[in-house]
Amino acid sequence: MRGAKVETQGMFSYVSPEQRVPQDHPLRAIRAIVDRSLAELDGHFSTMYSAFGRPSIPPEFLLRALLLQIFYSVR
């Protein structure tokens, strides 16, 4: 079962990510591109998951996390 997109922005910090990342930071442009790409794949992701069972982490969240790891990993 595909999990729901639940935002937990205020759970651990009083400063939102929007306030932390400068407006001209390259991640903002990359996020816009990634959001468009993942929106196009939404239907494909939906067909991959069962209609019943325990909800998983949405694949969009996992792919975004992987991109951040790739961009900021220390080699």
Side-chain angles (χ1 to χ4, degrees), residues 27 62-73:
L27 278 180
L62 297 174
L63 290 170
R64 283 191 192 127
L66 272 173
L67 279 175
L68 285 175
Q69 288 176 351
I70 290 167
F71 290 146
Y72 289 102
S73 67

Side-chain angles (χ1 to χ4, degrees), residues 1 7 20-21 23 40 50 54 58 69-70:
M1 175 187 249
E7 299 286 333
R20 289 184 190 268
V21 179
Q23 292 295 324
E40 291 176 12
S50 174
R54 184 173 172 218
Q69 288 176 351
I70 290 167

Side-chain angles (χ1 to χ4, degrees), residues 20-61:
R20 289 184 190 268
V21 179
Q23 292 295 324
D24 60 342
H25 197 281
L27 278 180
R28 290 191 179 269
I30 292 169
R31 183 175 184 172
I33 294 167
V34 169
D35 285 346
R36 280 194 307 268
S37 299
L38 291 174
E40 291 176 12
L41 293 172
D42 188 54
H44 183 67
F45 290 148
S46 294
T47 61
M48 293 171 56
Y49 287 84
S50 174
F52 58 91
R54 184 173 172 218
S56 69
I57 298 171
E60 298 89 327
F61 287 5

